[in-house]
Amino acid sequence: MRLLVAGGAGFIGSNFVHHMIKFHPEDTVVNYDLLTYAGNLENLKDIEDHPTYHFVHGDIRNRELLEYVFDQFDIDTVVNFAAESHVDRSITEPDLFVKSNVLGTQNLLDVAKSKQVTKYLQISTDEVYGSLGADGFFTETTPLAPNSPYSASKASADLMVRAYYETYGMNINITRCSNNYGPYHFPEKLIPLVITNALEDKELPVYGDGQNIRDWLYVEDHCAAIDLVLHKGKPGEVYNVGGHNEKRNIDIVELIVDTLGKSCDLIKHVSDRPGHDRRYAIDPTKIETELGWKPQYTFETAIKKTIQWYLDYEDWWRKIKSGEYMDYYKKQYGSKSYVK
Ligand code: NAD
Ligand code: TDX
């Protein structure tokens, strides 16, 4: 396989590049990434000189560069992770999300079509299905009902990918996973934000009542699922990927505080995210029964591994949590009032 990984310098993308180099050393992996604030080549330092790995600094909206890269490396397979990925940022800058996530995906798809790739896999999210009440699960046939500019941009991209299957007969797949966690997770997201703030004895902001539920998936389990879909996914199919692992936000925060031996006094309930989805929960029956995928990690094991990674890689997150990150943090959390 001669694989283009778009967005391979981000959290999941860099874990996936590591996965491919480890399990498919015969494949060529070209990481094509714009290196936005979320893209970080430090994530790939250990493999930067690996003979089958290549990095290209580029935007998925840049047709000319993409065409050159597809030709240069004779690309036959594409996985698209490239996106603006943070819901809070989409509330303040929705236009950026439309540009990268919708227009970028359409451009990448179009180049992939013109170069006649054998497979295009779009990495999507359970957020396209909207919010659940206390019961039920998202299946692949749940209607799309996105609530944030982020999820609306991801749903739009999914519809474009579907259209390229129906109209042009491209061999596409879409995976929709739940919340990932693990190494290289950017510390604007709940789990790494709480771990690193706790290590710095800073306040731990919990939106609203903290009862919102997310269905957590260890990133290595997610990478294994993507690998399976790439190799065995049936043309045109959507696969939901989830870890059967629903947790309330407040329980996650308390678990991290306990594990690090910190005080619960650090936890602060702040004003809620506008349009905050209440509950996500994935039914992964299709990928389990049709492709034989199963998560290998329990939450208890993987959250400990993740916390230990942030203890071991302090330099990685301390470098990020300075400069531009602090400007974002002040803007985002400075405007949030505390809920007594
Ligand atoms: P991330 O923000 O950590 O990484 C995104 C990467 O895409 C960065 O390296 C960034 O530089 C790159 N990028 C952004 N715009 C680009 C552009 N126009 N051209 C080229 N590269 C660009 O995101 P992540 O958490 O690793 O998520 C990866 C994908 O998985 C996203 O598509 C996201 O929507 C999806 N997803 C993430 C989660 C999660 O829990 N993190 C869950 C479900 C789905
Ligand atoms: O400071 C915080 N306090 C807080 O209570 C932050 C950053 C988040 N939260 C809450 C909001 C959510 O209910 O924690 C939950 C998780 O928040 P995020 O880490 O921002 O993730 P989420 O909004 O669920 O979206 C993530 O999963 C789906 C990814 O960022 C998306 O890219 C993915 O599609």
Side-chain angles (χ1 to χ4, degrees), residues 85-88 125-127 150 179 188-191 193 205-207 212 214 216 249 273 276-277 280 333:
S85 69
H86 194 33
V87 174
D88 291 326
T125 168
D126 58 0
E127 300 200 13
Y150 163 71
N179 286 60
E188 67 188 349
K189 308 282 167 57
L190 180 73
I191 287 183
L193 177 77
V206 173
Y207 296 167
N212 302 64
R214 296 292 181 266
W216 294 93
N249 292 341
R273 172 186 280 173
H276 195 178
D277 288 335
Y280 302 143
Y333 293 95

Side-chain angles (χ1 to χ4, degrees), residues 6-15 31-40 43 57-62 80-86 96 99-101 104 122-127 150 154 175-181 184-186 188-189 216-217 219 222:
F11 161 47
I12 307 175
S14 60
N15 277 282
N31 173 12
Y32 183 94
D33 196 296
L34 183 58
L35 298 181
T36 67
Y37 78 92
N40 188 350
N43 302 3
H57 184 198
D59 191 327
I60 53 169
R61 290 166 289 179
N62 184 340
N80 183 23
F81 294 93
E84 289 295 333
S85 69
H86 194 33
L96 206 59
K99 286 177 187 151
S100 272
N101 301 3
Q122 176 75 2
I123 305 302
S124 185
T125 168
D126 58 0
E127 300 200 13
Y150 163 71
K154 293 295 290 184
T175 52
R176 297 187 179 132
C177 65
S178 54
N179 286 60
N180 284 222
Y181 64 105
Y184 306 114
H185 203 181
F186 195 85
E188 67 188 349
K189 308 282 167 57
W216 294 93
L217 173 67
V219 67
H222 184 201

